[in-house]
Amino acid sequence: MRRRYLLLLLVPAVVLLALGALPSILGGGGDVSYVVAAEVDLEDGEPAAENATETIAFENLSENRFPYTAQAIDEGRSDPYEEGRFGLKSSFTHTPFDEFSEFETWNRAAVDGDTVWIERNGSYYRVEITQHPDE
């Protein structure tokens, strides 16, 4: 009887530990993406893109909630995000695609495909997801 209770406690603990390690195990072999930011000037008060007419005010957003975007604005490029081989990693981790999806939900007029126009402390940034950060 005690063995059964011990197994009922031990098995979920092992499963939870495995799930914690799962994203790093699934991380290898996928495409690598970066968030890249470049400071830009506005044209006639609007972003220089045909589909974006507004910007997102980044001062009101948490850098903890948007780490890829915040790092890209601060340093020009974020740390790499490597997609999993089987597409499962994004189910367990925070991705730059999550951030851009949230930006699009908040203000579709500030998003043009994989590009977002952001305002931070009076400066304007063109922020995009790319696989080639040096271009």
Side-chain angles (χ1 to χ4, degrees):
M1 196 70 146
R2 284 186 178 181
R3 187 180 301 171
R4 185 176 299 164
Y5 290 122
L6 183 61
L7 283 175
L8 286 174
L9 292 174
L10 190 59
V11 169
V14 169
V15 169
L16 290 173
L17 284 172
L19 285 176
L22 191 59
S24 62
I25 292 170
L26 295 176
D31 293 331
V32 177
S33 298
Y34 299 85
V35 177
V36 179
E39 192 170 350
V40 295
D41 293 324
L42 297 183
E43 293 179 8
D44 299 325
E46 294 183 353
E50 61 183 61
N51 295 326
T53 57
E54 296 181 19
T55 60
I56 292 177
F58 200 74
E59 296 92 15
N60 302 330
L61 305 178
S62 167
E63 292 185 12
N64 292 331
R65 188 170 180 181
F66 299 95
Y68 291 100
T69 303
Q71 185 180 22
I73 290 173
D74 291 339
E75 301 173 15
R77 178 181 79 154
S78 71
D79 289 335
Y81 169 75
E82 186 174 4
E83 295 179 3
R85 280 179 238 166
F86 310 108
L88 297 174
K89 182 177 178 183
S90 62
S91 301
F92 297 100
T93 61
H94 177 77
T95 71
F97 304 103
D98 294 336
E99 293 180 16
F100 278 59
S101 175
E102 199 161 338
F103 291 145
E104 187 171 12
T105 300
W106 285 342
N107 190 348
R108 188 176 303 266
V111 178
D112 182 20
D114 282 341
T115 303
V116 176
W117 299 90
I118 292 179
E119 178 183 1
R120 185 180 193 191
N121 299 327
S123 298
Y124 298 91
Y125 298 89
R126 181 180 191 271
V127 181
E128 67 179 326
I129 297 174
T130 182
Q131 292 182 352
H132 309 285
D134 300 326
E135 294 179 358

